[in-house]
Amino acid sequence: MHALAAFEAAARLGGFAPAADELCVTPSAVSHRIRQLEQQLAMQLFERTSSGVRLTTAGRLYLGQVREAFAALAHSGRGAGGGRVRLRVSAPPTFARQLLMPRLPAFLQDREEIDLEMHVGNLLQADVTEPADVAILWSDGKALNGVFHRLFDDRVGPLAAPSYIAAYGLRSAEDVAGATLLRSPLLPWGAWFQAAGLNRPEPERGAVFNDLGMLLEAASAGLGVAMSTRRLAAAWLDSGRLVPITELTAASPNSYYVTCASADRERPEVADFMDWLREGFSG
């Protein structure tokens, strides 16, 4: 169990030293425990480099199994809380603010036994950094583990502030391609370029944002053109701070997925929340 705890902490925190701090042991003790585990399993869990450690493919697969086992152990110890249960949810910041928070009162209204704990997740990581019973992830779905369901499909297109569109005379796809394009690793321009019949590479200049809310705020402030899904940008579109430059859109390469460990899916509060999300975003 000590070795499994060391492995899970090192994988979650990204290194042996932070895992040692969390477990109140030395980094060498963490390293020793993980090497023992690797010997028992006869497989390498971490790749050691001069700059640190990272999970191998086998390590990523094993991490999912370890987390499911820990979740099952935690679940078996519940039941003495006076009927109250804690539900830990991780969600990307813009999704949480724009799409989840307005809906949460309806979920909690008739579920007074649930103590909700919200964490902000990182869209760029396949695994959440905070322990979560349910995680909402932005993904193409190919690297997800456990139980997962796509919440909705969406389409992407270029958006900009009305003043920016007027100042630069943006009307067509070709006009967009010649404008200042705001960038994000979460939503590349390639899918829309292809739908528009433009043989162009990903833009190499322009501000970069790793949060979609900041990307949309930057576009509404007149910094350039943002690529975004219509559903996520609804608040900006409804207020008129952003408008579509053209009605040409493309299927979004990624979608929001609600996920949980396979063992947690049997918990009533987890199953209830996941079903509620799927029903709320369907259609």
Side-chain angles (χ1 to χ4, degrees):
M1 289 299 297
H2 286 308
L4 290 173
F7 166 66
E8 192 280 332
R12 172 166 44 84
L13 298 173
F16 293 172
D21 289 340
E22 181 177 283
L23 299 173
C24 298
V25 297
T26 64
S28 61
V30 171
S31 177
H32 178 68
R33 292 174 183 179
I34 291 175
R35 286 196 181 278
Q36 282 186 320
L37 183 61
E38 289 177 323
Q39 291 173 0
Q40 292 172 354
L41 297 172
M43 65 181 180
Q44 185 177 355
L45 300 173
F46 286 98
E47 180 182 349
R48 282 85 167 168
T49 68
S50 58
S51 59
V53 299
R54 62 173 178 263
L55 284 170
T56 62
T57 300
R60 288 186 179 278
L61 294 174
Y62 189 61
L63 177 61
Q65 298 173 15
V66 170
R67 285 178 170 169
E68 288 184 15
F70 281 174
L73 288 171
H75 178 51
S76 66
R78 291 188 177 97
R84 301 198 64 79
V85 293
R86 180 176 62 160
L87 179 64
R88 299 173 299 180
V89 177
S90 172
T94 305
F95 179 94
R97 293 188 186 100
Q98 302 298 324
L99 300 179
L100 182 58
M101 291 305 165
R103 292 171 165 83
L104 274 180
F107 174 76
L108 294 173
Q109 183 176 3
D110 299 322
R111 298 172 175 88
E112 296 181 356
E113 77 283 1
I114 293 180
D115 291 325
L116 183 67
E117 183 178 312
M118 285 293 307
H119 297 286
V120 174
N122 187 340
L123 276 173
L124 295 174
Q125 295 179 349
D127 296 308
V128 295
T129 55
E130 293 284 351
D133 305 310
V134 178
I136 298 166
L137 302 174
W138 175 253
S139 171
D140 60 7
K142 297 178 181 178
L144 298 180
N145 297 313
V147 179
F148 55 91
H149 303 285
R150 183 165 54 188
L151 291 179
F152 54 83
D153 293 323
D154 209 343
R155 299 190 67 80
V156 296
L159 310 175
S163 58
Y164 185 90
I165 294 174
Y168 292 92
L170 304 182
R171 296 183 181 86
S172 65
E174 290 76 10
D175 294 337
V176 172
T180 298
L181 303 182
L182 304 178
R183 298 178 292 156
S184 173
L186 305 169
L187 266 178
W189 281 82
W192 186 81
F193 281 160
Q194 184 175 5
L198 299 173
N199 185 20
R200 296 179 64 92
E202 283 294 321
E204 297 180 352
R205 301 184 61 183
V208 180
F209 302 88
N210 70 351
D211 174 74
L212 295 177
M214 287 193 297
L215 173 73
L216 293 168
E217 282 296 325
S220 68
L223 268 66
V225 181
M227 177 61 54
S228 177
T229 71
R230 297 298 175 85
R231 199 159 191 169
L232 194 66
W236 286 266
L237 293 169
D238 292 344
S239 67
R241 288 178 290 165
L242 292 175
V243 296
I245 299 172
T246 170
E247 290 304 314
L248 176 66
T249 61
S252 176
N254 291 339
S255 301
Y256 285 106
Y257 286 79
V258 58
T259 73
C260 73
S262 298
D264 280 345
R265 187 64 174 86
E266 302 305 316
R267 292 169 49 191
E269 65 274 16
V270 170
D272 189 23
F273 186 73
M274 292 185 71
D275 291 342
W276 172 80
L277 274 178
R278 294 173 64 189
E279 292 170 4
F281 285 108
S282 63

